Amino acid sequence: MYSSPIVRTTVKYFLLALGLLFAQQVSAQQLIFPEVQVTTLRVAETQIPQLTSLQEKLQQMLLGYRPNVEVNYSPIQPIRTVVQLRIRESIGSRYRGDLELVMLRPIYGEESESVVYLANESDIEFELDRSYTGVGIGNTLPEHPLFRRLFYHITMGSLYYYDSFASLGGTPFLTYLEEHRTRFEELYQNGAGSNLSLGGSYLAPQRHLSEIKGAWGTRFRELWYFYHREALDSDTPEEYGELLVMMLEGLEKIREENSSLTLIQYFSDTKSAEINERLSRISLSPSLQQSLTELLQRLMPGTKFEL
């Protein structure tokens, strides 16, 4: 990945497995700690109980999320996952709304968290069958389009979460996504259930999964790991700035080879606010500040950074 990679074997990394335990299976414990909220606009009062039931079923799904995936690590604490489903209108048993899903990881030595996955989709349409119980949807691929959409995003988010702790650590989740790719792609064909807005468009399996499984995706995932384990979890704020330069230079090389990759946009959407906040409280040397300013302007031209 780098001409001279930084490899560390300090006590910090030995003790951590950074929030992960060795030799566990996903099926052995709760993987997700969910916070689910279903809100409504212009929905008849008679339908509110059904939507309350939907919130409970979504919560049940996330609590029971255990795909058939074997990994070398499992989180010491379940992955904090925040889901908001905003129902904007309904006709009979058919609903339309917006979905937002955020997955977070802890930062070493801090009480704060880092966003590792962010999905936003608008104009999702789905039906609610009163007979649909949601039983078993935690460990099997759901048939219901809304639940299957969430299952896809959570699995992709788990991939990025594991990649942030171990280089290519999320590969078992990538394998699972590839095995069930056809079923996930059905959700995004012919505008089925989503207008493929920002999050829906570039995170849809037709694009994002195709990229992340290729050579560019592998290099991006290695950089993703480097950013989290070396830069974000670094011992000093100044070190964060120096290592961030290395990470961004690697990201720029990928963009130079293929400027249309959604992976660059994904990094910007999930990390720009975090980078801005951390750099705003770091004292940088003039040369380092200039390097970061130029790199960030080229990679994230629509974001204003306070250095």
Side-chain angles (χ1 to χ4, degrees), residues 53-62 65 99 124 126-129 132-135 137-138 140-154 184 187:
S53 175
L54 172 63
Q55 178 170 305
E56 294 171 353
K57 290 173 182 176
L58 290 174
Q59 185 86 7
Q60 177 188 9
M61 171 196 166
L62 298 185
Y65 173 75
L99 174 69
I124 295 173
F126 60 93
E127 281 193 76
L128 281 182
D129 185 344
Y132 187 71
T133 64
V135 173
I137 58 178
T140 58
L141 192 61
E143 291 297 322
H144 193 285
L146 176 63
F147 287 83
R148 197 190 321 162
R149 185 184 301 275
L150 271 171
F151 201 98
Y152 167 74
H153 284 304
I154 294 167
F184 293 127
L187 298 169

Side-chain angles (χ1 to χ4, degrees), residues 1-275:
M1 174 177 60
Y2 311 102
S3 57
S4 58
I6 296 177
V7 179
R8 304 186 176 193
T9 57
T10 62
V11 174
K12 174 177 73 173
Y13 289 107
F14 176 75
L15 292 177
L16 286 166
L18 241 169
L20 302 174
L21 289 175
F22 289 98
Q24 296 277 331
Q25 288 189 0
V26 168
S27 60
Q29 70 172 71
Q30 178 183 332
L31 183 65
I32 302 296
F33 178 78
E35 301 171 22
V36 181
Q37 183 178 26
V38 177
T39 59
T40 61
L41 290 173
R42 297 191 300 275
V43 174
E45 287 189 19
T46 56
Q47 294 174 309
I48 291 179
Q50 190 169 358
L51 293 175
T52 301
S53 175
L54 172 63
Q55 178 170 305
E56 294 171 353
K57 290 173 182 176
L58 290 174
Q59 185 86 7
Q60 177 188 9
M61 171 196 166
L62 298 185
L63 284 170
Y65 173 75
R66 296 180 184 89
N68 186 22
V69 173
E70 292 190 6
V71 293
N72 293 325
Y73 314 90
S74 286
I76 293 175
Q77 298 294 332
I79 305 170
R80 194 160 82 90
T81 303
V82 181
V83 176
Q84 285 195 335
L85 179 61
R86 293 175 288 273
I87 306 298
R88 291 195 278 116
E89 64 179 13
S90 65
I91 301 177
S93 62
R94 193 159 188 83
Y95 296 84
R96 183 166 66 88
D98 307 325
L99 174 69
E100 179 181 282
L101 184 145
V102 182
M103 298 177 74
L104 305 108
R105 99 195 268 278
I107 300 174
Y108 172 74
E110 300 183 13
E111 294 184 358
S112 54
E113 298 172 300
S114 175
V115 174
V116 290
Y117 192 73
L118 173 64
N120 288 287
E121 298 194 41
S122 61
D123 288 337
I124 295 173
E125 296 183 3
F126 60 93
E127 281 193 76
L128 281 182
D129 185 344
R130 294 182 183 276
S131 65
Y132 187 71
T133 64
V135 173
I137 58 178
N139 50 29
T140 58
L141 192 61
E143 291 297 322
H144 193 285
L146 176 63
F147 287 83
R148 197 190 321 162
R149 185 184 301 275
L150 271 171
F151 201 98
Y152 167 74
H153 284 304
I154 294 167
T155 306
M156 184 65 79
S158 298
L159 185 161
Y160 279 112
Y161 183 92
Y162 272 72
D163 275 354
S164 76
F165 285 115
S167 182
L168 306 181
T171 296
F173 292 95
L174 178 57
T175 301
Y176 183 90
L177 287 165
E178 274 293 302
E179 290 175 349
H180 299 278
R181 178 172 180 151
T182 300
R183 299 300 312 281
F184 293 127
E185 287 182 343
E186 291 173 355
L187 298 169
Y188 296 90
Q189 291 172 349
N190 303 318
S194 173
N195 68 359
L196 301 186
S197 59
L198 181 61
S201 60
Y202 74 73
L203 289 177
Q206 290 90 328
R207 285 194 69 183
H208 201 71
L209 187 53
S210 296
E211 289 183 10
I212 203 168
K213 74 169 187 174
W216 286 307
T218 298
R219 288 164 59 189
F220 176 82
R221 292 170 62 199
E222 290 172 341
L223 288 166
W224 182 261
Y225 165 76
F226 179 85
Y227 170 79
H228 288 89
R229 287 296 294 269
E230 299 291 346
L232 191 63
D233 294 328
S234 59
D235 294 318
T236 65
E238 294 77 12
E239 191 177 32
Y240 172 80
E242 295 170 356
L243 297 175
L244 179 60
V245 167
M246 296 178 62
M247 189 278 166
L248 294 175
E249 287 175 343
L251 197 63
E252 188 170 44
K253 289 180 181 178
I254 294 178
R255 194 191 65 169
E256 289 172 353
E257 295 177 20
N258 187 342
S259 61
S260 66
L261 290 172
T262 65
L263 298 168
I264 311 299
Q265 183 66 44
Y266 177 79
F267 184 83
S268 176
D269 286 350
T270 55
K271 297 302 174 187
S272 59
E274 174 179 280
I275 291 172

Side-chain angles (χ1 to χ4, degrees), residues 288-302:
L288 184 57
Q289 182 173 341
Q290 182 177 354
S291 296
L292 278 170
T293 299
E294 293 174 353
L295 281 165
L296 290 168
Q297 285 178 346
R298 291 196 297 268
L299 288 167
M300 307 176 192

